[in-house]
Amino acid sequence: MLVTFWTYSCVNCLRALPHYESWYRTYRDAGLVVLGVHTTEFAFEHEPANVAAQAKALGVDYPVAIDNDYATWNAYGNQYWPASYLVDASGQVRGSHFGEGAYADTEQQIRDLLTDAGAGPLPPPTDVPDATPVEATTPETYLGPANAPVDITGDQPPPGQTRTLRFPAAVASDTFALDGTWTASGESLTAGPSARLRLNFRARAVHLVLGGTGTLTVELDGTRTTVPASGVPKLYTLVSGPAARHSTLTLSLTPGLQAYDFTFD
């Protein structure tokens, strides 16, 4: 059995999913069981319907257990998203990997344990590209007061309050700044009238966990792109390019949209 800890809004987990899915399809007839343990990071991920909808959208075919109270996470002593544990046919944990990467090593362990368990000839190893970033990027950036954001230039609303703000003259590297009306609540910042956010980043791709229904306008290098938002809170890709860059983007959000977290490739 391959036990994988994940959460559907985590970009690191999403990059690992194709490997888990490929192993499940390739080796299930030989006896491999894959179990995804969905241990939440944000409150909206506690809703089983949200998890089911996103697992389906992401093409997850193997079973997913809901671990809202961290019971399985704590039983394994786990500390990472994603993380994988290999359990042999007798129930013993025989291997683990934390974070992304090392997929060939994990697959070889799967093949060895299946062979040890008496599986017949195995199909050839899978060939899924490793999308783990290799360049330095801006660190993950939480926006809500519950996660104590420190990567901000300028003012922000106090927790539980609404403020009308103005962009500072400049935004420091690897930080964001706010303009217009915003409300700080729990894990997110909620956009009000004329809400804008400016982000100074280093990355090939920029992702934002966003909730609510509305539109998000992305301005970068003189180009404007509109991203429609709807459905359950989830990860949206705002910027994607062939190589890492150091640049600044400006987001305009319609009132009611909730911004949770930036992640980067």
Side-chain angles (χ1 to χ4, degrees), residues 173-208:
S173 296
D174 302 326
T175 72
F176 69 95
L178 301 173
D179 188 82
T181 302
W182 290 89
T183 301
S185 178
E187 298 169 332
S188 66
L189 294 173
T190 300
S194 303
R196 294 191 299 164
L197 184 152
R198 188 160 287 160
L199 174 71
N200 186 324
F201 71 93
R202 294 172 298 133
R204 179 190 64 82
V206 179
H207 314 279
L208 174 63

Side-chain angles (χ1 to χ4, degrees), residues 33-59:
V33 175
V34 177
L35 175 64
V37 180
H38 191 273
T39 310
T40 61
E41 183 174 13
F42 296 107
F44 59 77
E45 294 171 324
H46 283 75
E47 296 296 329
N50 290 355
V51 179
Q54 285 304 293
K56 181 178 180 180
L58 294 167

Side-chain angles (χ1 to χ4, degrees), residues 2-249:
L2 178 72
V3 179
T4 72
F5 288 88
W6 73 299
T7 180
Y8 77 73
S9 69
C10 166
V11 69
N12 311 85
C13 300
L14 299 188
R15 288 194 292 256
L17 277 182
H19 297 272
Y20 303 152
E21 294 162 4
S22 180
W23 296 336
Y24 176 63
R25 292 191 300 268
T26 300
Y27 299 113
R28 60 185 171 186
D29 290 343
L32 177 67
V33 175
V34 177
L35 175 64
V37 180
H38 191 273
T39 310
T40 61
E41 183 174 13
F42 296 107
F44 59 77
E45 294 171 324
H46 283 75
E47 296 296 329
N50 290 355
V51 179
Q54 285 304 293
K56 181 178 180 180
L58 294 167
V60 177
D61 295 327
Y62 49 79
V64 175
I66 304 295
D67 189 32
N68 284 348
D69 296 328
Y70 280 61
T72 307
W73 175 286
N74 290 333
Y76 276 79
N78 188 54
Q79 300 180 52
Y80 305 96
W81 290 286
S84 61
Y85 295 83
L86 277 169
V87 183
D88 68 15
S90 66
Q92 300 299 309
V93 176
R94 296 282 296 276
S96 60
H97 182 74
F98 308 124
E100 302 176 66
Y103 298 113
D105 293 342
T106 300
E107 183 169 9
Q108 186 58 55
Q109 292 178 63
I110 291 171
R111 295 173 67 86
D112 291 344
L113 290 179
L114 289 172
T115 300
D116 291 348
L122 299 175
T126 62
D127 186 23
V128 177
D130 185 346
T132 306
V134 295
E135 299 175 288
T137 66
T138 296
E140 183 171 11
T141 304
Y142 293 98
L143 304 179
N147 292 303
V150 296
D151 302 319
I152 187 167
T153 299
D155 296 327
Q156 60 181 313
Q161 298 187 33
T162 300
R163 291 286 187 273
T164 299
L165 308 168
R166 292 290 177 265
F167 281 143
V171 180
S173 296
D174 302 326
T175 72
F176 69 95
L178 301 173
D179 188 82
T181 302
W182 290 89
T183 301
S185 178
E187 298 169 332
S188 66
L189 294 173
T190 300
S194 303
R196 294 191 299 164
L197 184 152
R198 188 160 287 160
L199 174 71
N200 186 324
F201 71 93
R202 294 172 298 133
R204 179 190 64 82
V206 179
H207 314 279
L208 174 63
V209 178
L210 190 67
T213 299
T215 57
L216 177 73
T217 302
V218 183
E219 298 179 58
L220 177 65
D221 298 337
T223 300
R224 179 176 293 188
T225 305
T226 298
V227 179
S230 62
V232 303
K234 56 183 178 289
L235 191 93
Y236 292 82
T237 298
L238 309 183
V239 175
S240 182
R245 64 168 85 180
H246 188 180
S247 192
T248 299
L249 62 79

